[in-house]
Amino acid sequence: KKMDGNRHIDKSHLKKLTASIEKDNQLNVHPIIVNKDFYVIDGQHRLQVASTLGLEIFYIQSDSVSDLHVIDGNVNQKIFEVTNYIDYFAIKERNTVYIQLKDMLKLTGLQPKALLTLIIGVVSSNILGFLKTGKFQFPESSDSMVIINFYADFIAYVKDKRLKPSSMFTNHNFTKALRWLYKTTGFESSIFFKKLDLRWFDLKPQRTAEDWYTLLIGIYNFKNHSRIEEEYGPKA
């Protein structure tokens, strides 16, 4: 049985594995690992290939393996991405923080690095370490959902304008700059969207977060007598 919280089936990996097993079936020396309840701990891709091809399934059933071996096994076999950790702790562990992270990923369509940059400003190795061990927490007095909703409103706006390439708004340089803009003293999103109506055509790919911030704050200050970023600057 497939375990909730395990990594999603990778279609590309599945295709390559199918071709390899069709050419030389070595499933007998690479058994699937299942726990005492017959949930797959390691080998869900091999199981699917064997089922699809009608091959004999070899497995080792162990009472000693825990659910956390899902992560250990995947890390050793194939890169276990940040999204997979979020899925595991959200689905399997029912961790409310990770459930919220998963919902944020779905709402924004962002990858974890870009999302974390948007809501906390930086993605350090320490933060990733906490995230991968189920210990991630939002900062106290966090306005994460407000920033998330601001980003979602922005994306809805640029989609309406059909701006291309849409990928320029999903990388971490852009989300870092948008956070700086939002955190700039005196910033009001309603004013920003009014100015965006006048200058939306300025939204073009930029190289760095600093370049993006310069562009965004320029739109915000269009026809202003004063430039708030010169007086205050962005806040992390």
Side-chain angles (χ1 to χ4, degrees), residues 1 6 14 44-45 47 57 68 89 93 114 137-138 149 180-181 186 205 210 221 224 228 233:
K1 295 176 287 187
N6 204 341
L14 192 66
Q44 62 175 353
H45 287 83
L47 176 60
I57 296 170
L68 287 176
F89 289 108
E93 299 293 319
Q137 294 289 333
F138 292 104
N149 288 329
W180 286 346
L181 176 71
E210 289 75 14
N221 283 314
N224 281 7
I228 60 174

Side-chain angles (χ1 to χ4, degrees), residues 26 53 76 125 151 182 233:
Q26 295 288 323
L53 297 179
N76 291 330
S125 57
Y151 175 83
Y182 177 82

Side-chain angles (χ1 to χ4, degrees), residues 199 213-223 227 229:
R199 304 298 302 180
Y213 177 74
T214 299
L215 175 63
L216 294 172
I217 202 69
I219 292 173
Y220 183 74
N221 283 314
F222 182 61
K223 290 188 176 181
R227 300 180 63 82
E229 86 282 5

Side-chain angles (χ1 to χ4, degrees), residues 162-181:
R162 298 182 180 180
L163 296 181
K164 303 292 183 179
S166 58
S167 58
M168 65 178 164
F169 304 119
T170 60
N171 65 72
H172 73 281
N173 282 329
F174 176 78
T175 57
K176 180 183 291 185
L178 198 70
R179 177 182 172 82
W180 286 346
L181 176 71

